[in-house]
Amino acid sequence: MKQDFKTVMQCILLLFGIVICMLVCDSDKIREEDYINRIYVVDEGDSYGYEFSIYITKLSDDYMEGYGNRHGKAELFPRGYSMKGYSDGGKMYGSFRMGYPEGNVRFTLDFLEDSRIQVTIPATKEQYMLRPYRLEDDPNKSVYEELSGEIELETWGKVQLINTMSNTRHPIAGAYLANEKGEVMYDFYPHFINGLDIVEYTVMDMNGDGLKDIEWILALGDDAHFRYRMYQRMDGRFGDKDVVWMEEEGLVYEAK
């Protein structure tokens, strides 16, 4: 009986050790959904630092792909530079160019809590604390609450479509995709036309490829308006836009 009890206790302790090990190992794993598909900017309190920004498209425990921008917001397939990284010892090491005169530079990414990322560039002694970009970071943008809401897109899932207007001398309409936390995932600006106001939007497949597209009605005054349409692609981008002048159709929209 004593031998049986000892064996049972050894098995229980072994199982307990395995569970603890699994929990510890799992806590070290990078959760892809916590960091991918959102715009990361420098954390400077209430301001928005665009002097260094990244956008991660793929992420696992040992591999990463994305884009970077030293002079603006990094976005999905931006005009900036691509970056790739590989894990070693719990950190992500990689390289990108991003406009550095030194050419390709090496970086280190530390993935922290609250979806924050610390970037270190040894060659230039730069270090940045990054966080997801939110619209409230920009005081010059007002959100059209009545023209914003949850939509479902094939390459994105359920996301928030947020339509905005800049509070500037020449107002510019804008639109964004954001997650449930309000973190910006996709920036449609600067495709819209200056001085026009968003008065309506529609989400549906408009070119027959099985992917939902987005169309906005943009108005200038009460009787001049455009239909502005952007088509969703399999890689998550929106493009192949159509802009149609609608005055001859006899449609009249009241600008907000």
Side-chain angles (χ1 to χ4, degrees):
M1 288 293 293
K2 289 184 178 180
Q3 184 63 33
D4 291 342
F5 178 77
K6 183 178 180 180
T7 301
V8 170
M9 289 302 297
Q10 288 176 338
C11 291
I12 292 174
L13 290 174
L14 178 61
L15 289 173
F16 183 75
I18 292 173
V19 170
I20 293 297
C21 181
M22 291 176 63
L23 290 174
V24 171
C25 293
D26 188 63
S27 66
D28 292 334
K29 287 188 175 182
I30 299 172
R31 284 167 47 90
E32 180 184 37
E33 62 270 22
D34 289 341
Y35 301 97
I36 68 167
N37 293 339
R38 68 202 70 179
I39 299 170
Y40 272 89
V41 297
V42 175
D43 187 1
E44 294 183 352
D46 294 332
S47 64
Y48 47 101
Y50 294 165
E51 65 272 20
F52 189 95
S53 180
I54 65 174
Y55 190 105
I56 299 174
T57 56
K58 295 181 181 180
L59 180 65
S60 66
D61 289 334
D62 53 11
Y63 182 71
M64 181 201 72
E65 288 184 6
Y67 298 86
N69 196 329
R70 291 190 72 198
H71 308 292
K73 285 184 300 181
E75 300 173 44
L76 177 62
F77 296 102
R79 295 176 181 175
Y81 299 90
S82 62
M83 61 181 183
K84 292 186 178 181
Y86 301 88
S87 181
D88 183 13
K91 292 186 178 182
M92 192 70 69
Y93 297 88
S95 64
F96 45 35
R97 191 169 190 279
M98 285 179 62
Y100 285 92
E102 298 85 357
N104 289 336
V105 297
R106 302 285 296 175
F107 65 81
T108 302
L109 299 187
D110 289 296
F111 295 90
L112 310 176
E113 296 180 354
D114 300 325
S115 300
R116 289 154 63 92
I117 301 174
Q118 181 169 296
V119 181
T120 303
I121 305 174
T124 58
K125 299 182 179 179
E126 295 173 77
Q127 190 171 72
Y128 301 97
M129 181 64 70
L130 306 181
R131 62 171 174 79
Y133 169 63
R134 298 177 175 84
L135 283 184
E136 56 262 33
D137 295 329
D138 191 343
N140 290 321
K141 284 189 173 64
S142 297
V143 175
Y144 286 138
E145 298 293 347
E146 71 277 14
L147 289 174
S148 301
E150 185 177 87
I151 63 175
E152 187 161 2
L153 300 170
E154 288 74 11
T155 57
W156 292 92
K158 290 184 179 179
V159 293
Q160 299 294 319
L161 174 62
I162 302 175
N163 292 305
T164 68
M165 177 63 74
S166 64
N167 306 318
T168 56
R169 184 176 179 180
H170 301 287
I172 303 174
Y176 304 83
L177 298 182
N179 61 20
E180 69 280 359
K181 298 179 182 179
E183 299 165 350
V184 175
M185 307 164 71
Y186 196 96
D187 185 347
F188 289 100
Y189 175 81
H191 301 293
F192 290 146
I193 304 170
N194 292 10
L196 298 185
D197 204 358
I198 298 174
V199 295
E200 185 179 317
Y201 76 90
T202 302
V203 180
M204 61 181 293
D205 181 9
M206 301 177 193
N207 60 354
D209 64 355
L211 301 176
K212 295 188 186 73
D213 311 303
I214 305 178
E215 178 183 274
W216 294 265
I217 301 298
L218 304 174
L220 177 62
D222 293 338
D223 57 357
H225 41 268
F226 293 83
R227 174 184 288 124
Y228 193 103
R229 183 180 297 174
M230 295 191 72
Y231 300 101
Q232 185 185 182
R233 299 174 177 175
M234 287 299 296
D235 58 15
R237 290 183 294 171
F238 285 82
D240 300 325
K241 58 182 180 291
D242 286 337
V243 182
V244 181
W245 175 255
M246 297 170 57
E247 189 174 30
E248 67 276 10
E249 297 183 23
L251 300 176
V252 177
Y253 291 87
E254 181 180 354
K256 301 292 181 182

